[in-house]
Amino acid sequence: MSRWEYFLRRLLLSIPVVFFGATATFVIFRFGPIDPAAAIVGEAATEASRESYERTREQLGLTQPVTDHYVEYMRDLFLLNLGESWVISPGTSTVDLITTYAPRTLWLGFWAVLIPIFVGIPLGIYAGLNANTRIDYAISMFGIVWRAMPNFWLAVILLVVLSQSGQLFGFSWPDFLVDTPVTGTPDLSALGSPSGFAAATKQILPAAVVLGSASMGSELRIARTAVLETINSGYVELAKANGVSQRSLVWKHVLRNTLVPLVPTITNEAFLLIGGSIIVEVVFGIHGIGYLFFQAAINGDLPLVTALVFVFVLVVVAMNLLQDLLYVLIDPRVGYDGR
Amino acid sequence: MAVTDPILSVEGLQTSFHTDKETIRAVDDVSFAVEPGRTLGIVGESGSGKSVTARSVMGLVDSPGVVHEDSRIRYHEPAFVQRMARRYPDRTRTRARTSSGPDPDAESNESDGFVTLEAFEGSGTDVVVDRGFVDLVAAPEAVVRAVRGREIAMIFQDASSSLNPLYTVGNQLEELLRTHRGLRGQEATETAAALLESVGIPDPHRRLSEYPHQFSGGMQQRAIIALALACEPSVLICDEPTTALDVTIQAQILELLAEIQADRDVAIVFITHDMGVIAQTADRVSVMYAGEIVETAPVDRLFDRPGHPYTEGLLESIPGITRRGNRLATIDGRVPTPTGDATACRFAPRCPKAFEECHAVHPSLVSVGDDGDHRAACLLQPTDEDEAGRLEYHGGESDGEVGEDRDGDSSEHHHDEGGPER
């Protein structure tokens, strides 16, 4: 079937992409502006520090010829042998660091993707189905405002409002339902229990709302446009003229066609979350992978930075594959005459 | 008048689009009727209001478009009228016709009635209807929806965009069979395959599981015709169904429509700008210009002796009819957008035969010839009168009982209401 052939092709094509991404990371590490060994050891003023600098260079593989180093480096990356952190947490393997920090970011990203999908898209679809009414104008305005507010600003404002919600509204956010602090890393160890799940969700929610805010705005706008486009299409008019029921018209003929332009929007917005999570995690004091990356970068922990960049490359490629998979599932035209 | 009663009749149809700037009268006082097994061609340039007329009949005019409430769109199929009369006894009126005696007991004068019975027995939910009609303008949305597809189906111009690209052709056919005829599973699949076969699609079982993009343009239009036939409608409205197709495919589709008409006795309203297609398909032709019907006649009469300069212009601009070597005749200018009450002939600015009064008097449809079967809205008609006499016919420069045409058909009146209502 040509749809699945198409997907298989995309899958195979992602291998050179990962390869190229890994090579780019190597170039940053080896030829970038920061000497990794110098960043780890610091000023090489004394004889002892010069010695430790040389030793570090050797351990990092910087003394080998470039080609040998490259081959070894790539082999390690693809075996997920990502080395150790040197500055942030000396001696800890980066894989351990990532498995500790990543779930918090995944939890944040999960909600930051869900909120736009379950709030933004339904609102946009409703606005599109009721185009040019007051409620449509209200929803569209809401979408534009939400889209326009910058993350760092919204994060700070939300922090201020929530931490003082007791005085401002007579309703205390920290005490609401379950006791949680406004900032800090959520405890994901008790996700299985209802109270643990509630606490972890509640604590991540403000950060997730901020992180998902822009996506929500743009997904709302695109959902509205997509619905309008579909409603005015020939096949909806013909279905109507042929007496298809109103319910089938909306649920079968309009909604699925609306998804076609929405899928790339959702996945593209999810890429942005990787960048956005760095700011939001820092403001909300969540020790996630974005926070880890930020710390590693400003402290020049280049082995950790390269490992994280490689992980980000893998995530982006995986998201792209997910997008292709969704396309294949939704649209039968994919792969048809597309080669 | 035709021998048989019409299945669909439209009288004084007015459809306007209200925008902030102006009110566009896309369809302005249009009347026509079509009988079972016959084809009415509606012909005119782009922007003459043909497609809006079709959409008005189907109840598919979307905001800001409004079908004027005094318009009458009547559907006469007795079985459907009977179903509606039984379902909406409170909104059923009776009207005496010469052949059937009025029944005073069943008489109800509901002002919001939309079902009218002309020949019937019994009353209430047991009524048996021989003749009557449902007024689709006054009818509630649910009734209009019951008409769509099942009673009156439509075929649109652009076949490639008329099928949902995400569902197989079989899925879309079976959805209609399920909605209108309650067919499911194997039975629906078999019926769908039979439908595809009947519109000349080979290997129908395999084709059912294919997506629209796997069909060629001609095959897509055939599939759309199959969709329209799925519910065995009595009237088929074809809105330029062959315009997007190349000539050989066009001929095949026209042939197919003719076969279907012969088999199923379906009435066809065929909308096109192509006089050649009209010549092949229509029994009767109405020529539309700027929202109005300017001439209506049996097809041969229209082609032999057009009564309106616009029709003459259309006929002269058919390639192949003019002699070789001559330049193809055209009508200069474009169709105006009608925004107000017609106070003059809307074609006058482009008309080679226009004279002074054409810019001051709005012509009404008058008989060309003697039998009332051929009518044109032109101040040059009727030709057996002198200019003053002709103007009198059209309601200009006179206070007499004019504006009404000789055969006294009430549909011919020229409406004088103020502005269009919101």
Side-chain angles (χ1 to χ4, degrees):
Chain A
M1 219 173 156
S2 75
R3 286 156 84 177
W4 295 104
E5 273 169 30
Y6 167 86
F7 183 67
L8 205 67
R9 235 162 51 100
R10 302 293 299 197
L11 196 67
L12 292 175
L13 271 176
S14 61
I15 294 170
V17 172
V18 171
F19 199 80
F20 187 76
T23 306
T25 346
F26 173 77
V27 171
I28 294 166
F29 178 74
R30 175 88 198 214
F31 305 107
I34 300 171
D35 177 351
I40 290 162
V41 179
E43 284 290 316
T46 62
E47 195 59 31
S49 61
R50 274 205 74 76
E51 229 170 72
S52 91
Y53 173 74
E54 290 302 334
R55 208 170 46 244
T56 313
R57 272 180 67 82
E58 200 172 317
Q59 279 171 339
L60 289 176
L62 295 172
T63 50
Q64 307 170 46
V66 175
T67 44
D68 290 358
H69 186 200
Y70 176 67
V71 171
E72 192 188 322
Y73 172 91
M74 291 297 270
R75 200 182 53 225
D76 283 351
L77 276 191
F78 283 100
L79 296 173
L80 287 182
N81 191 359
L82 299 179
E84 292 174 355
S85 162
W86 288 77
V87 183
I88 301 288
S89 176
T92 321
S93 99
T94 46
V95 174
D96 284 350
L97 278 175
I98 290 170
T99 46
T100 313
Y101 283 76
R104 300 160 188 164
T105 300
L106 283 179
W107 186 239
L108 171 65
F110 173 73
W111 285 103
V113 170
L114 276 199
I115 292 172
I117 290 181
F118 285 98
V119 179
I121 293 179
L123 279 177
I125 288 174
Y126 187 84
L129 291 175
N130 299 282
N132 299 321
T133 58
R134 264 161 215 269
I135 189 128
D136 169 34
Y137 296 145
I139 289 174
S140 298
M141 193 67 199
F142 172 80
I144 292 167
V145 168
W146 217 227
R147 177 91 188 86
M149 284 190 292
N151 272 349
F152 58 89
W153 180 84
L154 189 62
V156 172
I157 295 296
L158 204 62
L159 260 187
V160 171
V161 169
L162 288 183
S163 50
Q164 304 189 4
S165 53
Q167 292 99 301
L168 287 173
F169 310 113
F171 152 82
S172 170
W173 170 259
D175 303 333
F176 177 62
L177 289 178
V178 273
D179 270 1
T180 49
V182 174
T183 62
T185 310
D187 175 18
L188 298 181
S189 58
L191 270 188
S193 74
S195 63
F197 181 84
T201 306
K202 186 190 153 193
Q203 199 175 346
I204 209 75
L205 224 45
V209 165
V210 171
L211 189 54
S213 61
S215 314
M216 183 158 90
S218 41
E219 283 170 28
L220 188 156
R221 299 287 302 164
I222 286 172
R224 178 181 179 273
T225 314
V227 165
L228 277 180
E229 224 165 78
T230 316
I231 280 188
N232 292 320
S233 68
Y235 50 85
V236 168
E237 188 168 33
L238 185 77
K240 219 178 188 180
N242 278 331
V244 167
S245 69
Q246 192 65 25
R247 174 209 289 257
S248 159
L249 214 54
V250 171
W251 291 98
K252 177 175 172 180
H253 291 278
V254 174
L255 284 190
R256 183 160 163 197
N257 292 72
T258 302
L259 285 181
V260 174
L262 269 177
V263 163
T265 314
I266 295 171
T267 46
N268 281 330
E269 291 293 337
F271 297 157
L272 294 180
L273 298 187
I274 293 175
S277 73
I278 296 174
I279 295 168
V280 171
E281 284 180 13
V282 170
V283 174
F284 280 92
I286 296 166
H287 290 185
I289 217 165
Y291 170 85
L292 182 66
F293 182 78
F294 181 66
Q295 292 300 328
I298 61 171
N299 290 310
D301 194 343
L302 281 192
L304 185 54
V305 169
T306 39
L308 284 170
V309 168
F310 182 65
V311 169
F312 290 157
V313 168
L314 289 183
V315 169
V316 170
V317 169
M319 296 284 280
N320 256 319
L321 281 178
L322 177 71
Q323 172 180 327
D324 286 327
L325 180 66
L326 288 173
Y327 257 152
V328 165
L329 292 177
I330 292 173
D331 194 342
R333 288 166 298 184
V334 166
Y336 183 81
D337 279 342
R339 42 203 68 215
Chain B
M1 282 282 120
V3 199
T4 44
D5 285 331
I7 181 94
L8 175 74
S9 62
V10 171
E11 276 177 34
L13 175 66
Q14 265 187 292
T15 305
S16 359
F17 290 82
H18 299 279
T19 65
D20 293 340
K21 265 194 304 189
E22 59 196 2
T23 296
I24 297 166
R25 304 179 129 195
V27 179
D28 201 354
D29 198 12
V30 160
S31 304
F32 61 83
V34 59
E35 298 84 24
R38 311 276 287 172
T39 300
L40 171 74
I42 297 183
V43 68
E45 286 169 278
S46 308
S48 56
K50 312 180 300 276
S51 292
V52 179
T53 303
R55 280 168 178 72
S56 302
V57 172
M58 298 295 285
L60 290 176
V61 176
D62 289 325
S63 170
V66 178
V67 175
H68 197 285
E69 57 184 19
D70 290 342
S71 312
R72 283 189 284 273
I73 300 169
R74 290 169 170 176
Y75 182 63
H76 301 262
E77 213 278 312
F80 181 75
V81 176
Q82 174 171 308
R83 249 197 353 266
M84 291 303 122
R86 289 178 177 188
R87 192 183 302 168
Y88 298 94
D90 295 345
R91 299 190 60 185
T92 300
R93 300 174 297 190
T94 57
R95 192 166 86 173
R97 287 267 296 226
T98 42
S99 51
S100 68
D103 181 356
D105 297 330
E107 191 88 30
S108 78
N109 288 317
E110 293 289 333
S111 57
D112 64 342
F114 63 90
V115 184
T116 305
L117 307 180
E118 292 170 333
F120 60 98
E121 279 169 32
S123 64
T125 52
D126 300 321
V127 67
V128 177
V129 179
D130 273 342
R131 196 167 58 225
F133 56 82
V134 172
D135 186 343
L136 298 178
V137 178
E141 180 65 20
V143 173
V144 178
R145 225 176 272 158
V147 169
R148 279 186 209 142
R150 181 127 197 210
E151 306 291 334
I152 307 179
M154 194 161 168
I155 298 169
F156 292 101
Q157 174 176 355
D158 193 357
S160 61
S161 68
S162 290
L163 291 166
N164 192 327
L166 303 190
Y167 296 98
T168 60
V169 171
N171 179 319
Q172 298 181 50
L173 258 175
E174 283 166 35
E175 174 177 23
L176 290 182
L177 292 173
R178 190 173 58 244
T179 315
H180 294 298
R181 283 159 70 178
L183 301 182
R184 280 167 201 284
Q186 193 59 32
E187 199 186 355
T189 311
E190 288 306 320
T191 313
L195 272 167
L196 281 194
E197 196 155 30
S198 76
V199 295
I201 295 181
D203 200 358
H205 279 94
R206 183 173 60 85
R207 287 300 201 166
L208 280 180
S209 58
E210 288 189 352
Y211 289 94
H213 65 260
Q214 293 165 295
F215 280 55
S216 67
M219 285 296 162
Q220 284 175 343
Q221 194 58 285
R222 284 171 192 270
I224 285 163
I225 294 172
L227 283 175
L229 296 180
C231 314
E232 296 167 344
S234 311
V235 180
L236 198 54
I237 301 180
C238 306
D239 187 2
E240 310 219 18
T242 57
T243 307
L245 304 173
D246 65 53
V247 183
T248 46
I249 307 291
Q250 171 172 317
Q252 291 173 11
I253 296 287
L254 293 180
E255 207 170 289
L256 172 65
L257 286 171
E259 271 170 38
I260 287 165
Q261 185 168 42
D263 283 354
R264 304 177 184 232
D265 210 26
V266 60
I268 294 182
V269 178
F270 202 102
I271 293 171
T272 182
H273 62 262
D274 187 338
M275 276 297 203
V277 171
I278 284 289
Q280 281 179 59
T281 55
D283 297 306
R284 203 185 159 77
V285 189
S286 289
V287 180
M288 270 192 91
Y289 186 81
E292 297 173 308
I293 288 184
V294 293
E295 180 162 11
T296 173
V299 65
D300 299 340
R301 284 276 286 277
L302 190 95
F303 276 77
D304 287 350
R305 280 180 286 139
H308 196 286
Y310 179 59
T311 315
E312 282 170 27
L314 285 180
L315 290 174
E316 276 165 17
S317 53
I318 305 175
I321 285 189
T322 46
R323 246 168 284 126
R324 200 175 303 178
N326 290 352
R327 278 178 65 90
L328 185 62
T330 54
I331 310 173
D332 289 334
R334 293 174 51 195
V335 183
T337 304
T339 50
D341 255 335
T343 53
C345 176
R346 283 176 175 151
F347 184 59
R350 299 170 71 191
C351 182
K353 296 180 179 172
F355 51 100
E356 203 181 314
E357 272 72 20
C358 289
H359 299 280
V361 178
H362 181 246
S364 39
L365 278 170
V366 298
S367 282
V368 179
D370 302 324
D371 52 3
D373 213 18
H374 181 186
R375 294 194 295 272
C378 180
L379 297 187
L380 292 168
Q381 300 290 349
T383 42
D384 51 356
E385 301 275 349
D386 62 0
E387 190 176 319
R390 293 199 306 258
L391 288 178
E392 206 166 297
Y393 265 99
H394 294 280
E397 320 259 319
S398 162
D399 303 316
E401 69 303 349
V402 289
E404 207 62 48
D405 129 34
R406 264 193 287 200
D407 63 15
D409 192 322
S410 63
S411 69
E412 250 74 332
H413 76 280
H414 170 58
H415 64 89
D416 293 312
E417 288 113 69
E421 285 164 31
R422 267 226 81 130

